[in-house]
Structure formats: structure tokens, C-alpha cells
Amino acid sequence: MVATYSHHDRATGFWHLRAEKRAGVGHAVIGTAPAPVSAVRMLPPAEPYPLTALDHRFVSVDASGVFVRGHGPAGAHSDHLRPETAHLLLSLAAHSR
């Protein structure tokens, strides 16, 4: 399971925190999991993801440097349609072979 997060995501940060008393997965790293969690930074499309970074049951990808655009109360919640996101998805597919 791979989850991205950005501190600029106010929908799962500020608002989720108010409603449920804790930040959501899109704002913070994956919390407790039944297996170790690999934490990596989202990479630019020209930089390959090493297999060792993604070869885990749980991967938490810090996209705070990429998912930054957004206006209004949700912040950067929907700023995921980026080349970096496609690069991550294609890297996961390539490593699964």
C-alpha cells in the first residue's frame, strides 16, 4: 500500500483534525501499521525510485514539496494531478514485474 501526504493538504489536516481529533493520512505519514512503513520523499520524474524504497508492504511518500497548490479551505488536497504522481505510479508498476 502506498499513500502520499502533504502538509499543505488542509482537508485532511486542519479540517480532519477538527472533526476527528487527529490528522488524516493525506496530511501526515501512515500511522501504525501491521508491518514496517517505508518513508520516502516524492521524486521528480527524472530521478528513479530505487526498488529498496518501494519494496515494502506500506510506503508513505512525502509529497509536501510537490503537492503545494490549492486555494480555499481544502488547501492542496486535490493537487495530485502532477508528473511526479505519474512517475510514482509507473515506478510501482515497473518494480512489480
Side-chain angles (χ1 to χ4, degrees), residues 11-56:
T12 59
F14 178 82
W15 297 108
H16 203 274
L17 184 61
R18 298 298 173 281
E20 297 190 13
K21 307 298 184 236
R22 65 182 198 187
V25 172
H27 178 78
V29 299
I30 296 174
T32 59
V37 178
S38 173
V40 298
R41 164 182 72 82
M42 183 167 264
L43 299 178
E47 190 174 336
Y49 284 93
L51 176 60
T52 57
L54 301 177
D55 191 23
H56 299 272

Side-chain angles (χ1 to χ4, degrees), residues 9-94:
D9 181 347
R10 288 192 303 269
T12 59
F14 178 82
W15 297 108
H16 203 274
L17 184 61
R18 298 298 173 281
E20 297 190 13
K21 307 298 184 236
R22 65 182 198 187
V25 172
H27 178 78
V29 299
I30 296 174
T32 59
V37 178
S38 173
V40 298
R41 164 182 72 82
M42 183 167 264
L43 299 178
E47 190 174 336
Y49 284 93
L51 176 60
T52 57
L54 301 177
D55 191 23
H56 299 272
R57 287 179 60 195
F58 298 94
V59 179
S60 190
V61 180
D62 183 354
S64 295
V66 178
F67 300 166
V68 297
R69 295 184 298 205
H71 302 289
H77 182 70
S78 296
D79 189 25
H80 58 275
L81 299 175
R82 313 284 237 115
E84 294 86 352
T85 307
H87 172 52
L88 174 61
L89 288 170
L90 293 171
S91 297
L92 288 163

